[in-house]
Amino acid sequence: MSKNRNQKLVTPEIFHQAVIGSFTKLNPRYMMKNPVMFVVEVGCIITLLLSIFPGLFGDVSAGTNLRLYNVIVCIILFITALFANFAESVAEGRGKAQAASLKKTQKDTKARLLLENGTEKEVLSSQLKKGDVVMVSAGEIIPGDGEVIEGIASVDESAITGESAPVVRESGGDFCSVTGGTTIVSDWLKIRITSEPGNSFLDRMIALVEGASRKKTPNEIALNTLLVSLTIIFLIVIVTLYPIGLYSGVQLQTSTLIALCVCLIPTTIGGLLSAIGIAGMDRVTRFNVIAMSGKAVEACGDVDTMILDKTGTITYGNRLAADFFPVGGAKREDLIRCAALCSLKDETPEGKSTLELARQLGDKSKELSGSEFISFSAQTRMSGVDLPDGTKVRKGASDAIEEFVSKLGGKVPSDLREKVSEIAGLGGTPLTVCENNKILGVIYLKDTVKPGMVERFERLRKIGIKTIMCTGDNALTAATIAKEAGVDGFVAECKPEDKIKLIKKEQSEGKIVAMTGDGTNDAPALAQANVGLAMNSGTTAAKEAANMVDLDSDPTKILEVVEIGKQLLITRGSLTTFSIANDIAKYFAIIPAMFMTAIPELGVLNIMNLATPYSAILSALIFNAIIIPCLIPLAMKGVKYRPMSSGKILARNMLIFGVGGIITPFVGIKIIDLIIHPLLALIGF
């Protein structure tokens, strides 16, 4: 999917589908969902009737071909409705194009279903039910969403994520979730199916990308209500204009009143509103993030607080050995030797880097026959080795090693805690090493802040978003990393329940909260947050709880997702401002044209110096129609987002789209008038 991020705005296939959609969406039952454009369609139908029966509503012709005038107005209104439908169809077409590529990965493959008696039965993947257990080997396609209950294998997820490098999936932990349609590259997996037929992750992705399950967001509903209110107000104004015209000695033609109504109601934003919402979800999807609803994307734009894990998000997460510090008069060579002995069978990044650093410093320790290695556990918080001669070597958390040494009758060196605090103050993780009842020193494990994080957090700060780092590290280490990364706050020694408390606290203050997570223990917090971004590599529970899933499993992507949400809101606000500002120029074009004959004093309002009343009305109507397709690229791509405060964003948009929305119609209507006036003169207008 990542290859689609730079897809053209409109491909020939999308254009063809959009043209067809423009006509099919003219169905009144569909158009009624967009009241503004429904008014345009009703106006088109009325002018069509007037084209057939010119005197239907008592209109009279004053030396002008009234029938032809009604036909022209009808055609322009019809094109206006088509352009609005075209904008929405283009947005939907882009989503359907992505969905088509996803559907290619959906194959009704054979699945090896494991029966209760231990035998295998070959069935179609579409026949699998939730709870079924299947066996999948190298070269086979995983038949459905599930969780690995046995085995470890490399899985090619490029069909879903676009990333060609295989990923490891294994039973237990946070990397046991697999997605239907992906392929096992090596080894085998025993998988328990977690979704019913037709409700897999891929099925939901396709439905969401196609827009089939898109619902209007709260902001979209609120704006739609405003547009309907403005439309009703202008309809009332138009109705009252007819008797006012009669009182002034002017009989206003019905088609002219309809033209005025269509020009004054916010047709521009009315025609683009749905397309903006669809395009917002489309932009998120092209960023390889699946939003479970438009509301989730919109919520991103309103985020006030962002909660981020330290490990893997702000820092690389691989704590690597950087140095050895002896304490209590111990020799550095002994510290390095014991640290290496503890790490000979330690497959963690910390263990491997400790052994590698020891080798670089000249250590040549080897595994002795009869040695018993002790793995790290959360209970003991240490690991080590018992040598054949009875020597016990351990490395681990400082307090755990202190307790271990004390039980053996040893003493804690006076400078140990000072050295531990010094390493923690540098943002590192101290691992204390002992040999029997003697503490030898400390291994300095260093976690590195990812490049560019300071600038990204500063960017968020400019737009008023507070960042809070959550970490299981001690307060001193957390404070150092927080300062280096540039976050606004941190929570040290953070447990899963602490994240929920933090989210609820921020929400109680009226703030919109976003966070990332991938584990089952993150699921409650992801569900509680207004914006929960789950990693595709994470557990099914995390993905079910979140309202967004990152297919690339990059926790830092939430920073960009928030900016996409901001862009969606800014685009909608900017085009609404432009649309309403447009009406001012149209007012100066049509009102003088309608009453100038009976009230010559209104000529001062004809500041564009339009040629005739008819060319003025038709010029405004034509501009009103063509501005919609002209703004489709902006609605699709979004207004360029720049990090700044809400006040500055509002001032900038008012200047560009407010003033621009006033000036553009004056220029556009005048140019159209210069073009069509000679043509109208040829046909007797």
Side-chain angles (χ1 to χ4, degrees), residues 169-394:
R169 291 288 177 262
E170 58 186 318
S171 59
D174 293 340
F175 297 94
C176 63
S177 175
V178 291
T179 305
T182 56
T183 306
I184 291 187
V185 178
S186 66
D187 302 296
W188 57 271
L189 294 174
K190 186 183 288 186
I191 300 166
R192 179 183 291 111
I193 301 298
T194 57
S195 63
E196 297 291 350
N199 194 36
S200 69
F201 181 63
L202 195 58
D203 289 317
R204 284 182 287 136
M205 279 175 61
I206 291 170
L208 288 163
V209 171
E210 281 184 319
S213 59
R214 195 187 93 89
K215 296 179 180 178
K216 289 186 177 180
T217 62
N219 280 349
E220 199 172 343
I221 292 171
L223 180 54
N224 202 54
T225 302
L226 172 63
L227 299 183
V228 170
S229 301
L230 289 174
T231 301
I232 293 172
I233 291 170
F234 283 121
L235 282 172
I236 295 171
V237 170
I238 298 303
V239 170
T240 58
L241 274 179
Y242 188 80
I244 292 173
L246 290 177
Y247 179 79
S248 304
V250 178
Q251 184 174 3
L252 298 173
Q253 296 167 356
T254 304
S255 52
T256 297
L257 289 172
I258 291 172
L260 175 62
C261 178
V262 170
C263 286
L264 293 187
I265 63 176
T267 50
T268 305
I269 187 61
L272 295 172
L273 185 58
S274 182
I276 294 170
I278 296 171
M281 288 188 69
D282 179 64
R283 281 195 294 276
V284 172
T285 304
R286 288 175 191 283
F287 211 68
N288 255 18
V289 173
I290 297 298
M292 298 304 175
S293 68
K295 185 177 180 180
V297 181
E298 195 170 86
C300 288
D302 290 325
V303 166
D304 301 300
T305 303
M306 191 179 296
I307 297 173
L308 301 158
D309 279 327
K310 184 203 79 168
T311 306
T313 303
I314 295 173
T315 64
Y316 283 110
N318 293 330
R319 298 175 297 171
L320 307 179
D323 209 345
F324 300 98
F325 296 99
V327 297
K331 293 182 180 179
R332 193 165 188 260
E333 293 78 12
D334 289 338
L335 169 61
I336 295 173
R337 175 180 55 81
C338 288
L341 285 171
C342 290
S343 304
L344 287 171
K345 291 287 187 178
D346 189 345
E347 294 300 319
T348 64
E350 295 91 337
K352 289 179 179 178
S353 66
T354 298
L355 184 60
E356 183 180 347
L357 181 60
R359 295 284 189 253
Q360 290 174 3
L361 295 174
D363 178 77
K364 297 180 180 179
S365 300
K366 295 182 180 179
E367 181 182 346
L368 300 176
S369 177
S371 297
E372 182 183 350
F373 288 90
I374 291 90
S375 300
F376 175 86
S377 71
Q379 288 73 32
T380 62
R381 295 189 298 134
M382 67 174 79
S383 62
V385 60
D386 290 343
L387 301 177
D389 61 2
T391 301
K392 297 179 183 296
V393 184
R394 298 288 186 273

Side-chain angles (χ1 to χ4, degrees), residues 88 145 459 569:
E88 185 175 351
D145 294 356
R459 204 165 68 205
L569 296 180

Side-chain angles (χ1 to χ4, degrees), residues 99-133:
S101 65
L102 285 174
K103 285 178 180 177
K104 292 178 182 177
T105 67
Q106 280 192 313
K107 300 174 183 176
D108 199 2
T109 58
K110 300 285 186 180
R112 291 153 55 197
L113 176 65
L114 294 180
L115 303 178
E116 292 183 2
N117 59 12
T119 60
E120 292 184 5
K121 178 184 178 183
E122 193 173 85
V123 299
L124 293 174
S125 58
S126 58
Q127 297 175 322
L128 293 174
K129 302 184 296 294
K130 187 175 182 179
D132 286 345
V133 177

Side-chain angles (χ1 to χ4, degrees), residues 83-101:
F83 282 160
N85 290 341
F86 181 79
E88 185 175 351
S89 297
V90 166
E92 290 177 349
R94 283 161 62 86
K96 288 176 180 176
Q98 290 187 72
S101 65

Side-chain angles (χ1 to χ4, degrees), residues 411-467:
K411 293 183 179 180
V412 177
S414 58
D415 57 344
L416 174 63
R417 292 182 182 175
E418 179 185 346
K419 185 58 65 177
V420 167
S421 297
E422 181 184 334
I423 291 173
L426 293 171
T429 300
L431 279 185
T432 303
V433 179
C434 72
E435 186 176 24
N436 291 323
N437 64 352
K438 182 181 179 181
I439 294 179
L440 301 176
V442 183
I443 306 172
Y444 172 25
L445 299 178
K446 186 177 181 182
D447 198 357
T448 307
V449 173
K450 292 181 178 180
M453 295 305 291
V454 175
E455 292 77 9
R456 295 169 92 176
F457 289 135
E458 179 60 30
R459 204 165 68 205
L460 292 172
R461 198 172 293 112
K462 285 182 179 178
I463 58 178
I465 295 178
K466 179 172 71 173
T467 51

Side-chain angles (χ1 to χ4, degrees), residues 492-519:
E493 299 176 355
C494 184
K495 298 183 286 296
E497 54 267 28
D498 295 330
K499 291 181 181 179
I500 298 178
K501 289 179 183 177
L502 178 60
I503 292 170
K504 288 183 177 179
K505 177 179 176 294
E506 292 291 321
Q507 289 174 333
S508 67
E509 297 173 3
K511 296 177 180 177
I512 305 296
V513 182
M515 76 158 288
T516 62
D518 60 0

